[in-house]
């Protein structure tokens, strides 16, 4: 969940490190630090470490935006605390004894406590509460002049997940890095070489990258990159080109990344569906699943975390109705520990924006260990989940910087729709004509999202009115309930308002006791067969003092007889409604957070990519 960046080359390192960390601050922002390899007053090699508690801007001010720290080789880190409270002492980088090694780390060392106790007995002194300091001291213990040998010995000793950036005092100009279960990329350019946790950190400097694999070590110098395995033998590796538009990782005139990414949804949705629709037909040859294999699936098991899990809840309704196949949905953190009983003919689908989500990656490995075929729906090309899955569906959302996901969620929904229609046609649930009508309607979604965005002022006005609410409840049925889950999560993530989503039919089973005068209840009713039942549920809470925001489609104007305020979205097929309903819910969360004066893109206690359990 932390962010790592490193550079060695012909330029001063510190300004480049700080610029890269700014692009990674969505991964953690309770403290930051840099370590630069240089020389002391006597001209001897040394590693200068500067770190600060708080947002990155504090570190930038301390170092005059990096200009006061000299040296052309360094590593940097922005932290999301796991061990030890946010403080200067707990910030990265961490020194080893005599300051001859500096380390930055993303991940968790699971056996750090037992290693720490042994190192203390050997005379090592710890100055922080972190698990990372164990890495620095253990490297010091193993280091006899060969960095790769020390790192290999370290890897054998520690358990857990890690991406490490390492400087050795007596190896000026060199950066060493290694990963296991935490993301790390290597960048190459004519002016130097880089490591980073994610592409946006180095996109301005280079588009030539390599996605480091588990248990691989990399050595960077100003003019070269070398890769090693655990056996210390050098490896041959090839780089690839990143084709993202550089501006995609910038705000582009918007006040916040979240608002920019909300507005990017029409394009992201279009980019995800367009390559897969040819002459009005869905073409998913990229999956490598032939028709016989698809017809042979008896069930689908979907696994994800957070917003991706909410996509899976929607997918259950859509896949079962459209493809005629039973779908089970699990939180990845539960799936991997509950010893699930799966039909031998089950397809496991793992959904993740980053492709590095720790619990989802572990669930994927558990499924493959049991012999199941795994299809991944991911956004990041070359990510761990994408590499390890048997089949991959890329969503092409582009870089998503705001911690609260928007366009990645929307593109995952589109991926689910395409899969459901593709499976439905092959399994004989959808005939060609019905599938064709669905494709036509699907292709209208981007412009319908644009229409919703044109009316954002009505949502903004309402959000300002309720920005100081203490409790907000969402209710819905069917796919509207699935959309409610995501709307509630968006609101609580960035506004810190207590929010819950309930299946409206469950209100009488205890939940309705929470309703009192003035509480905002957001009722979503876009499913025609369930509309009247939803109205009845809304009447129930209104009679107990709730203020009702109704969300429905154009034409369902009877909503205004019950709701105190109504937001309309364009009509589409029922199965595609989550893609439209979520947009006003995203805008509502954004404007409530803005009205409270909060940091929309960097909500407290959260980070973008959850790479630890």
């Amino acid at each position: 969940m932390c962010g790592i960046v490193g550079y060695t080359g012909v330029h001063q390192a510190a300004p480049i490190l700080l610029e890269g960390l700014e692009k990674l601050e969505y991964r953690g922002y309770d403290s930051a630090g840099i370590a630069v390899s240089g020389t002391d007053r006597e001209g001897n090699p040394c590693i200068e470490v500067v770190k600060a508690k708080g947002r990155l801007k504090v570190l930038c001010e301390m170092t005059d935006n990096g200009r006061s720290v000299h040296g052309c080789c360094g590593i940097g880190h922005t932290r999301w605390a796991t061990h030890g409270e946010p403080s200067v002492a707990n910030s990265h980088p961490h020194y080893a004894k005599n300051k001859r090694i500096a380390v930055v780390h993303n991940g968790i060392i699971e056996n750090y406590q037992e290693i720490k106790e042994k190192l203390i007995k050997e005379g090592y002194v710890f100055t922080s509460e972190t698990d990372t300091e164990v890495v620095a001291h253990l490297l010091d213990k193993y280091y006899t002049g060969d960095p790769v040998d020390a790192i290999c010995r370290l890897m054998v000793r520690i358990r857990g997940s890690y991406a490490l950036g390492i400087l050795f005092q007596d190896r000026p100009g060199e950066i060493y890095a290694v990963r296991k279960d935490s993301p790390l990329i290597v960048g190459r350019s004519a002016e130097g070489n880089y490591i980073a946790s994610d592409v946006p950190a180095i996109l301005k400097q280079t588009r030539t990258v390599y996605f480091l694999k588990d248990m691989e070590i990399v050595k960077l110098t100003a003019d070269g990159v070398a890769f090693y395995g655990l056996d210390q033998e050098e490896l041959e590796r090839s780089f690839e080109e990143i084709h993202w538009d550089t501006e995609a990782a910038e705000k582009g005139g918007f006040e916040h990344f979240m608002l920019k990414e909300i507005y990017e949804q029409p394009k992201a949705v279009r980019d995800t569906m367009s390559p897969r629709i040819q002459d009005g037909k869905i073409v998913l040859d990229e999956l490598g699943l032939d028709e016989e294999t698809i017809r042979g699936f008896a069930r689908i098991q979907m696994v994800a975390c957070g917003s991706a899990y909410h996509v899976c809840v929607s997918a259950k309704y859509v896949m079962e109705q459209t493809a005629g196949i039973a779908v089970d949905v699990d939180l990845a953190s539960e799936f991997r520990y509950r010893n699930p009983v799966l039909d031998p003919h089950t397809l496991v689908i793992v959904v993740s924006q980053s492709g590095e989500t720790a619990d989802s990656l572990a669930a994927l490995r558990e499924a493959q260990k049991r012999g199941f075929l795994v299809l991944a729906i991911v956004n990041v090309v070359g990510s761990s989940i994408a590499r390890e899955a048997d089949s991959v569906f890329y969503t092409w959302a582009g870089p998503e910087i705001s911690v609260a996901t928007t366009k990645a969620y929307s593109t995952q929904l589109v991926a689910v729709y395409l899969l459901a229609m593709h499976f439905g046609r092959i399994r004989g649930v959808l005939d060609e004509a019905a599938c064709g009508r669905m494709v036509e309607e699907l292709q209208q979604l981007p412009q319908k999202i644009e229409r919703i965005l044109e009316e954002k002022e009505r949502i903004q006005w309402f959000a300002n009115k309720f920005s100081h609410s203490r409790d907000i409840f969402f209710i819905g049925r069917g796919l509207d309930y699935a959309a409610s889950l995501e709307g509630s999560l968006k609101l609580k993530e960035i506004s810190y308002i207590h929010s819950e989503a309930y299946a409206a039919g469950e209100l009488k089973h205890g939940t309705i006791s929470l309703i009192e005068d003035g509480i905002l209840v957001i009722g979503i009713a876009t499913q025609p067969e369930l509309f009247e039942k939803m109205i009845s549920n809304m009447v129930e809470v209104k009679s107990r003092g709730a203020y009702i925001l109704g969300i429905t489609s154009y034409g369902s104007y009877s909503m205004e007889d019950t709701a105190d305020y109504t937001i309309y979205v364009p009509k589409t097929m029922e199965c595609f409604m989550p893609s439209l309903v979520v947009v006003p819910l995203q805008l509502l969360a954004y404007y409530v957070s803005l009205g409270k004066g909060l940091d929309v893109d960097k909500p407290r206690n959260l980070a973008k990519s959850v790479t630890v359990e």
Side-chain angles (χ1 to χ4, degrees):
M1 311 251 300
C2 305
I4 291 173
V5 66
Y7 168 75
T8 180
V10 299
H11 301 295
Q12 289 295 304
I16 294 174
L17 297 177
L18 292 174
E19 187 175 16
L21 290 177
E22 182 183 4
K23 301 297 189 297
L24 292 178
E25 201 176 8
Y26 62 86
R27 300 180 68 90
Y29 34 87
D30 59 45
S31 60
I34 58 174
V36 175
S37 178
T39 57
D40 60 22
R41 293 178 180 178
E42 285 75 39
N44 300 312
C46 71
I47 301 172
E48 181 178 0
V49 169
V50 184
K51 48 190 184 178
K53 177 184 174 181
R55 298 291 172 89
L56 182 64
K57 64 181 181 181
V58 179
L59 183 63
C60 292
E61 291 169 358
M62 285 177 61
T63 61
D64 189 21
N65 289 317
R67 288 185 285 270
S68 66
V69 183
H70 303 291
C72 296
C73 174
I75 52 178
H77 187 272
T78 181
R79 183 173 185 251
W80 188 86
T82 56
H83 292 74
E85 65 180 11
S87 69
V88 173
N90 290 330
S91 303
H92 300 214
H94 288 288
Y95 276 129
K97 186 169 62 174
N98 300 324
K99 300 184 178 180
R100 68 171 185 161
I101 298 172
V103 175
V104 292
H105 170 217
N106 173 25
I108 289 179
I109 307 303
E110 294 175 357
N111 60 336
Y112 86 99
Q113 195 63 52
E114 63 181 74
I115 296 173
K116 182 176 181 177
E117 290 171 2
K118 291 181 180 180
L119 288 171
I120 290 173
K121 291 178 181 177
E122 294 175 20
Y124 285 89
V125 177
F126 286 78
T127 60
S128 78
E129 303 169 273
T130 69
D131 55 335
T132 304
E133 196 177 0
V134 160
V135 173
H137 289 316
L138 203 55
L139 278 171
D140 179 84
K141 176 180 176 179
Y142 292 147
Y143 184 56
T144 58
D146 184 343
V148 174
D149 176 70
I151 293 169
C152 288
R153 295 178 68 184
L154 171 82
M155 293 161 67
V156 173
R157 183 69 180 85
I158 60 176
R159 296 194 310 270
S161 61
Y162 51 84
L164 301 172
I166 308 164
L167 297 181
F168 292 86
Q169 180 181 336
D170 63 353
R171 307 299 289 253
E174 296 179 0
I175 297 173
Y176 292 82
V178 62
R179 66 152 285 181
K180 178 182 177 293
D181 296 337
S182 290
L184 202 64
I185 64 171
V186 180
R188 187 177 65 186
S189 78
E191 298 181 336
N193 297 301
Y194 309 81
I195 58 169
S197 295
D198 204 353
V199 171
I202 59 174
L203 194 58
K204 185 177 177 180
Q205 282 78 26
T206 182
R207 294 176 177 273
T208 305
V209 304
Y210 172 74
F211 292 86
L212 206 62
K213 296 178 182 177
D214 270 359
M215 311 301 280
E216 282 185 342
I217 302 166
V218 61
K219 170 188 173 183
L220 284 73
T221 60
D223 55 6
V225 178
F227 298 93
Y228 302 90
L230 193 56
D231 58 4
Q232 302 186 40
E233 294 294 320
E234 190 164 352
L235 307 170
E236 292 293 328
R237 293 291 182 255
S238 57
F239 284 71
E240 61 184 87
E241 294 296 313
I242 296 294
H243 300 292
W244 284 352
D245 180 356
T246 307
E247 294 181 0
E250 305 292 340
K251 287 184 181 176
F254 286 88
E255 186 176 358
H256 296 96
F257 277 111
M258 182 177 180
L259 186 60
K260 174 178 178 281
E261 290 157 7
I262 289 173
Y263 270 80
E264 287 176 339
Q265 286 178 117
K267 180 181 184 301
V269 166
R270 205 174 278 119
D271 288 347
T272 297
M273 72 170 71
S274 294
R276 279 95 180 200
I277 298 175
Q278 301 174 16
D279 299 323
K281 298 183 183 298
I282 297 171
V283 179
L284 296 180
D285 295 342
E286 67 200 90
L287 303 183
L289 300 176
D290 58 40
E291 295 192 2
E292 182 179 356
T293 300
I294 291 172
R295 281 192 288 267
F297 293 131
R299 302 188 72 83
I300 291 175
Q301 173 70 58
M302 301 195 73
V303 182
C305 304
S307 291
Y309 171 78
H310 299 157
V311 169
C312 295
V313 176
S314 291
K316 176 177 176 66
Y317 292 98
V318 177
M319 294 286 290
E320 290 186 341
Q321 177 181 341
T322 307
I325 185 168
V327 178
D328 293 318
V329 178
D330 259 314
L331 290 162
S333 55
E334 293 296 314
F335 174 84
R336 59 182 293 202
Y337 292 118
R338 74 173 177 84
N339 193 24
V341 178
L342 301 178
D343 185 286
H345 303 289
T346 297
L347 171 66
V348 176
I349 300 179
V350 176
V351 186
S352 168
Q353 186 281 136
S354 68
E356 302 290 351
T357 311
D359 284 315
S360 298
L361 182 58
L364 178 153
R365 291 169 176 166
E366 177 66 23
Q368 288 181 326
K369 180 181 175 182
R370 291 166 174 247
F372 295 101
L373 192 70
V374 177
L375 166 64
I377 299 176
V378 298
N379 186 41
V380 180
V381 177
S383 57
S384 296
I385 290 175
R387 288 198 311 269
E388 295 189 27
D390 301 293
S391 184
V392 184
F393 193 125
Y394 285 114
T395 54
W396 308 122
E400 188 178 66
I401 307 301
S402 178
V403 168
T405 184
T406 51
K407 63 177 181 174
Y409 173 88
S410 291
T411 55
Q412 288 166 355
L413 282 176
V414 169
V416 165
Y417 302 153
L418 290 167
L419 278 174
M421 294 155 61
H422 183 61
F423 280 31
R425 182 189 62 78
I426 290 171
R427 295 168 66 86
V429 178
L430 286 180
D431 59 31
E432 293 290 345
C435 193
R437 288 191 296 272
M438 292 184 73
V439 167
E440 289 180 8
E441 188 61 39
L442 185 67
Q443 290 176 303
Q444 299 301 312
L445 285 182
Q447 65 190 60
K448 291 181 178 181
I449 294 173
E450 288 169 349
R451 184 179 173 187
I452 297 170
L453 293 172
E454 290 170 358
E455 299 185 7
K456 67 179 178 65
E457 287 79 11
R458 295 191 71 245
I459 301 169
Q460 184 175 8
W461 176 87
F462 185 86
N464 288 337
K465 184 175 180 180
F466 283 90
S467 61
H468 296 290
S469 296
R470 187 187 63 186
D471 302 286
I472 297 177
F473 297 101
F474 291 72
I475 58 174
R477 288 174 178 262
L479 280 166
D480 290 333
Y481 165 60
S484 296
L485 291 170
E486 177 62 10
S488 176
L489 178 61
K490 284 283 103 35
L491 187 69
K492 71 179 73 171
E493 277 182 319
I494 62 173
S495 74
Y496 317 147
I497 294 173
H498 169 250
S499 170
E500 300 292 343
Y502 294 103
E506 290 294 294
L507 282 171
K508 295 185 184 69
H509 299 280
T511 309
I512 204 165
S513 66
L514 299 173
I515 304 302
E516 55 190 43
D517 283 348
I519 278 188
L520 174 60
V521 174
I522 300 172
I524 305 174
T526 69
Q527 308 291 298
E529 292 184 2
L530 298 169
F531 186 83
E532 290 186 0
K533 292 185 181 296
M534 268 303 303
I535 293 296
S536 296
N537 294 136
M538 292 163 69
V539 168
E540 287 175 347
V541 294
K542 188 172 185 178
S543 67
R544 288 159 175 82
Y547 186 98
I548 306 292
L549 169 62
I551 299 178
T552 189
S553 55
Y554 284 104
S556 301
Y557 300 119
S558 61
M559 171 69 77
E560 296 185 14
D561 296 334
T562 303
D564 297 289
Y565 193 81
T566 305
I567 293 172
Y568 293 98
V569 298
K571 284 188 173 182
T572 187
M573 289 184 172
E574 295 173 36
C575 58
F576 301 150
M577 267 300 179
S579 291
L580 300 182
V581 168
V582 75
V583 180
L585 298 180
Q586 293 167 347
L587 288 168
L588 178 67
Y590 173 79
Y591 284 119
V592 167
S593 179
L594 196 66
K596 295 182 70 174
L598 302 174
D599 191 336
V600 174
D601 287 333
K602 302 182 185 74
R604 69 188 182 198
N605 302 332
L606 298 179
K608 180 68 176 173
S609 181
V610 185
T611 57
V612 297
E613 287 190 61

